[in-house]
């Protein structure tokens, strides 16, 4: 049973990353109509910024949680201003191709300087150790990741679904021209939205740094699983991304316990099954 | 949403004549390669990728479907052909047939699943499916995991042509490429191709005209996958191995890049693009990982600056169909 709980916990942690990443993708897709292929690379940048902060500036994990998303978010906003905005109105496949190119550049540069092997990032002192829950031993950091990302996900959901700013955002997604007529600066909102989505990816990167090693390709393989998560969830709603992300993480964890051979493929197999039954995805609108 | 290729010229006798002239020139150029001192292995490899890119282009350039998982056809056909040749001991022609048939079957299954969604969702599904296959091939015993299938016997094609001779192999690959190319050319200029283009331009309208667009898209997907698989089977004879790199999703990215550089939806673009990218990899190999960065820069500049690609820009400049 210990092993089952351990795998469930791993599943929940992976689910946290899936949820944070697919949430960012959903936010960006809503406003920019772009599937951000660079999302994995920006997630990786988040982890690297945390690594640099600690090793070059002696700045600890807690500051990195704030600084890394901001730094990567600003980088993202520059990308949006210099490149992505020129794709407005074009077939959205060009957005996919452009962000794929950006991902290759970012990952290639990091690979050149840091090779392909991982760099260690230690768990902050306050989160070291573990708690005995009676039925299992819970490492504190892992519990923290699950709780913290759940809070961030719900906060993002609240921001978009329940606040004035979120209302503008959703309105601009539906009808940018009309929203602009009300005196709202839509291009700036698009830029900020991209920054927000990218910041979420970077935040996930910082969270994962102490668990997985910091490596240039850490986002490259993850992003394809996240795409499958997005297809399964359908990206129809913010809440849909969050629930699907966590649920698939858990299913993956269970598979690892009961039938480890299929653990790499279970998400893709699920995707196929869901598509056959419900082509729009679980919470999806027609694309 | 604007179309991928906004200035496709109508098929006029002049356009057909232009294309025929360019085709003849291309065939002639490729036929004299062995007598020029150019490394034939490089050209053979480029020809396989050119056919692969042409097959991919049939789908995106004429059907508007961006498959981000075309490496799965290359890899599957490669593995099946390699296994058939080495373990079953089939002759080369049957090895190619079996590999290509496997790709066709894969095209049927994956096409049926992926065409249920459109646009970027379609792309993401093809990508995820190819990654699923990647993991299957990583674990399946017959692919030998990380090692791949090595030392594949080349044999005698139809019992006559000795494929271990570079010159013979070169012309076999060339004939295979030209045959595949002509089939694609014929397809896009057929009524089927016209319907495909109309789906690319305006799918709801095509549906309202009574076309079962899903069937057309599925057929195009299978055809594209089959031809991509044929390229993969040919490549086995050139490389004499089948490995995981051919199925990895970064290979799918390279196929997209080749087509984009040459020009999406142009007839000769994918060929030019494949040669440019393969040559680049050959000559920039010393730069290590910078090659990835350079490829990324090419991707970005293609999308931002010359969206029509090399051949597309040239055709636009000359106002000709190429």
């Amino acid at each position: 049973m210990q092993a089952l709980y351990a795998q469930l916990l791993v599943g929940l942690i992976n689910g946290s990353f899936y949820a944070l990443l697919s949430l960012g993708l959903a936010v960006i897709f809503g406003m920019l109509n772009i599937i951000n292929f660079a999302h994995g690379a920006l997630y990786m940048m988040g982890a690297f910024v945390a690594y640099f902060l600690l090793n070059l500036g002696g700045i600890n994990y807690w500051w990195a949680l704030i600084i890394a998303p901001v730094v990567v978010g600003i980088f993202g906003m520059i990308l949006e201003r210099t490149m992505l905005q020129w794709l407005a109105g074009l077939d959205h496949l060009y957005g996919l191709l452009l962000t794929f190119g950006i991902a290759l550049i970012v990952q290639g540069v990091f690979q050149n300087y840091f090779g392909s092997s991982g760099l260690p990032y230690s768990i902050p002192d306050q989160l070291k150790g573990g708690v005995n829950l009676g039925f299992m031993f819970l490492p504190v950091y892992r519990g923290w990741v699950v709780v913290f990302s759940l809070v961030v996900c719900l906060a993002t959901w609240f921001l978009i679904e329940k606040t004035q700013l979120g209302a503008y955002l959703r309105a601009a997604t539906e009808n940018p021209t009309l929203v602009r007529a009300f005196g709202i600066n839509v291009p700036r909102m698009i830029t900020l939205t991209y920054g927000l989505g990218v910041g979420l990816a970077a935040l996930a990167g910082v969270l994962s740094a102490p668990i997985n090693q910091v490596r240039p390709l850490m986002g490259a393989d993850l992003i394809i699983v996240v795409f499958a998560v997005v297809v399964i969830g359908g990206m129809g709603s913010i809440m849909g991304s969050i629930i699907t992300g966590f649920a698939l993480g858990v299913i993956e964890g269970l598979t690892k316990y009961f039938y480890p051979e299929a653990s790499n493929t279970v998400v893709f197999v699920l995707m196929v099954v869901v598509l056959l039954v419900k082509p729009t995805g679980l919470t999806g609108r027609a694309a | 949403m604007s179309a991928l290729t906004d200035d496709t010229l109508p098929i006029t006798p002049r356009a057909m004549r232009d294309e025929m002239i360019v085709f003849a020139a291309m065939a002639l150029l490729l036929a004299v390669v062995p007598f020029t001192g150019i490394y034939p292995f490089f050209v053979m490899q480029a020809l396989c990728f050119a056919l692969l890119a042409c097959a991919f282009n049939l789908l995106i350039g004429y059907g508007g479907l961006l498959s981000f998982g075309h490496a799965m056809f290359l890899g599957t056909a490669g593995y099946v052909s390699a296994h058939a040749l080495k373990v079953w001991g089939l002759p080369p022609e049957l090895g190619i047939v079996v590999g290509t048939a496997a790709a066709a079957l894969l095209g049927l299954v994956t096409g049926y699943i992926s065409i249920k969604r459109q646009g970027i969702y379609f792309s993401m599904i093809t990508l995820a499916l190819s990654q699923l296959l990647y993991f299957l091939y990583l674990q399946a015993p017959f692919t030998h995991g990380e090692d791949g299938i090595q030392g594949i016997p080349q044999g005698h094609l139809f019992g006559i042509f000795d494929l271990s001779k570079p010159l013979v192999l070169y012309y076999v690959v060339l004939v295979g490429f030209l045959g595949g190319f002509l089939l694609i050319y014929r397809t896009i200029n057929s009524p089927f191709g016209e319907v495909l283009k109309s789906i690319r331009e305006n799918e709801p309208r095509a549906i309202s005209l009574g076309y079962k667009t899903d069937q057309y898209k599925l057929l195009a997907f299978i055809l594209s996958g089959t031809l991509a698989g044929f390229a993969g089977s040919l490549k086995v004879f050139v490389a004499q191995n089948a490995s995981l790199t051919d199925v990895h999703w970064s290979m799918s990215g390279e196929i997209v890049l080749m087509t984009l550089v040459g020009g999406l939806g142009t007839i000769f673009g994918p060929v030019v693009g494949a040669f440019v990218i393969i040559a680049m990899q050959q000559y920039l190999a010393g730069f290590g990982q910078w090659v990835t960065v350079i490829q990324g820069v090419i991707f970005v500049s293609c999308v931002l600056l010359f969206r029509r690609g090399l051949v597309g820009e040239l055709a636009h400049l000359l106002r000709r169909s190429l």
Side-chain angles (χ1 to χ4, degrees):
Chain A
M1 284 315 270
Q2 282 284 331
L4 174 63
Y5 290 127
Q7 287 304 343
L8 267 179
L9 182 66
V10 170
L12 269 178
I13 290 172
N14 285 335
S16 312
F17 297 134
Y18 297 162
L20 279 173
L21 291 174
S22 65
L23 179 63
L25 281 177
V27 171
I28 291 171
F29 183 66
M31 275 300 272
L32 287 82
N33 205 15
I34 282 176
I35 284 283
N36 189 28
F37 217 120
H39 220 64
L42 295 161
Y43 157 86
M44 175 271 287
M45 276 180 82
F48 264 96
V49 171
Y51 176 83
F52 293 143
L53 287 174
L54 187 67
N55 288 287
L56 302 180
I59 298 165
N60 69 21
Y61 174 81
W62 304 103
W63 283 106
L65 274 183
I66 301 166
I67 298 174
V70 172
V71 170
V72 178
I74 291 172
F75 177 71
M77 288 193 259
I78 295 171
L79 288 182
E80 199 280 330
R81 269 295 146 104
T82 52
M83 299 184 204
L84 290 170
Q85 67 158 337
W86 301 109
L87 299 182
L90 283 177
D91 194 298
H92 48 215
L93 303 178
Y94 285 114
L96 186 86
L97 296 177
L98 180 65
T99 49
F100 179 66
I102 294 172
L104 286 183
I105 296 172
V106 172
Q107 278 163 192
V109 167
F110 275 84
Q111 265 187 300
N112 273 304
Y113 288 110
F114 302 99
S116 292
S117 54
L119 305 166
Y121 186 94
S122 57
I123 296 175
D125 289 338
Q126 296 89 332
L127 298 175
K128 277 193 175 136
V131 191
N132 197 342
L133 298 178
F135 57 93
M136 73 173 290
F137 181 78
L138 173 74
V140 174
Y141 187 77
R142 305 201 163 214
W144 154 258
V145 168
V146 175
V147 173
F148 182 71
S149 53
L150 199 58
V151 170
V152 171
C153 283
L154 293 177
T156 312
W157 170 80
F158 186 81
L159 175 77
I160 290 170
E161 298 289 334
K162 301 289 171 196
T163 63
Q164 182 83 50
L165 182 69
Y168 288 153
L169 206 75
R170 280 175 288 131
T173 308
E174 290 292 319
N175 192 338
T177 328
L178 189 67
V179 173
R180 191 173 300 188
F182 282 118
I184 293 164
N185 188 338
V186 174
R188 185 192 294 160
M189 229 156 93
I190 291 178
T191 310
L192 287 173
T193 308
Y194 192 73
L196 172 74
V198 164
L200 284 171
L203 186 68
V206 181
L207 282 176
S208 94
I211 302 179
N212 310 306
Q213 288 196 317
V214 179
R215 335 173 263 120
L217 291 179
M218 62 192 281
D221 292 323
L222 180 64
I223 191 69
I224 299 172
V225 181
V226 174
F227 280 171
V229 170
V230 165
V231 170
I232 296 170
M235 237 164 43
S237 69
I238 300 291
M239 197 45 105
S241 307
I242 301 172
I243 294 171
T244 318
F246 275 100
L248 285 170
V250 170
I251 291 173
E252 210 178 37
L254 289 175
T255 315
K256 211 168 271 176
Y257 178 74
F258 289 107
Y259 188 53
E261 289 83 3
S263 59
N264 282 328
T265 51
V266 66
V267 173
F268 303 117
V269 173
L270 265 172
M271 181 194 77
V272 170
V273 173
V274 169
L275 279 171
L276 290 176
V277 179
K278 196 164 181 290
T280 50
L282 297 176
T283 60
R285 52 188 181 196
Chain B
M1 191 198 309
S2 74
L4 287 165
T5 45
D6 45 5
D7 48 10
T8 317
L9 297 170
I11 305 168
T12 57
R14 194 182 89 156
M16 294 277 276
R17 195 199 60 204
D18 286 352
E19 286 157 8
M20 278 301 150
I21 292 172
V22 177
F23 177 79
M26 177 178 79
L28 193 69
L29 266 178
L30 289 170
V32 299
V33 160
F35 309 103
T36 56
I38 301 172
Y39 188 41
F41 180 78
F42 156 74
V43 184
M44 278 192 268
Q45 212 190 3
L47 282 175
C48 293
F49 280 105
L51 180 55
L52 183 63
C54 286
F56 166 80
N57 182 48
L58 172 66
L59 206 53
I60 177 149
Y62 299 92
L65 296 163
L66 171 63
S67 159
F68 225 108
H70 248 51
M72 65 182 163
F73 299 115
L74 177 78
T76 301
Y79 273 131
V80 172
S81 288
H83 188 75
L85 294 166
K86 194 178 176 186
V87 180
W88 298 341
L90 291 187
E93 60 277 10
L94 283 181
I96 294 174
V97 168
V98 174
T100 310
L105 189 66
L106 181 67
L108 174 68
V109 176
T110 53
Y112 178 74
I113 296 163
S114 49
I115 56 157
K116 286 173 180 262
R117 299 297 303 273
Q118 280 140 27
I120 29 194
Y121 282 99
F122 170 84
S123 308
M124 284 156 62
I125 292 162
T126 50
L127 178 59
L129 286 173
S130 83
Q131 192 67 358
L132 168 68
L133 277 174
Y134 174 83
F135 282 119
L136 287 180
Y137 290 142
L138 184 65
Q139 291 172 352
F142 90 99
T143 60
H144 301 287
E146 306 276 355
D147 298 336
I149 305 179
Q150 309 271 353
I152 294 150
Q154 288 165 311
H156 286 67
L157 188 71
F158 304 118
I160 309 166
F161 304 106
D162 184 359
L163 295 181
S164 59
K165 290 194 175 128
L167 194 66
V168 178
L169 182 61
Y170 179 81
Y171 282 108
V172 168
V173 171
L174 179 59
V175 168
F177 164 74
L178 293 176
F181 184 91
L182 282 177
L183 182 64
I184 292 168
Y185 182 71
R186 185 73 195 86
T187 306
I188 54 185
N189 288 310
S190 69
F192 172 76
E194 293 299 318
V195 177
L196 217 53
K197 280 177 229 170
S198 79
I199 293 172
R200 177 191 72 193
E201 299 298 332
N202 193 339
E203 184 166 358
R205 195 160 179 183
I207 294 171
S208 77
L209 287 171
Y211 290 109
K212 293 194 170 62
T213 56
D214 276 0
Q215 286 180 8
Y216 280 90
K217 287 198 285 189
L218 181 58
L219 208 55
F221 193 86
I222 297 172
L223 185 62
S224 172
T226 309
L227 284 163
F230 179 54
S233 291
L234 283 180
K235 189 171 164 291
V236 164
F237 292 93
V238 179
Q240 277 186 277
N241 68 43
S243 69
L244 280 171
T245 37
D246 287 352
V247 215
H248 195 254
W249 64 270
S250 55
M251 178 61 81
S252 300
E254 272 177 31
I255 301 168
V256 180
L257 182 61
M258 289 172 188
T259 315
L260 189 65
V261 166
L264 294 175
T266 60
I267 295 158
F268 296 97
V271 182
V272 174
F275 271 83
V276 169
I277 298 298
I278 296 290
M280 208 185 79
Q281 286 172 348
Q282 182 95 0
Y283 293 109
L284 298 183
F287 288 89
Q289 285 301 327
W290 287 113
V291 176
T292 319
V293 180
I294 295 167
Q295 287 191 337
V297 171
I298 296 177
F299 248 110
V300 169
S301 32
C302 272
V303 173
L304 289 177
L305 302 174
F306 59 113
R307 216 161 283 143
R308 294 189 186 93
L310 292 171
V311 172
E313 293 289 348
L314 185 69
H316 182 71
L317 209 66
L318 302 173
R319 301 208 52 74
R320 296 286 173 102
S321 162
L322 287 173

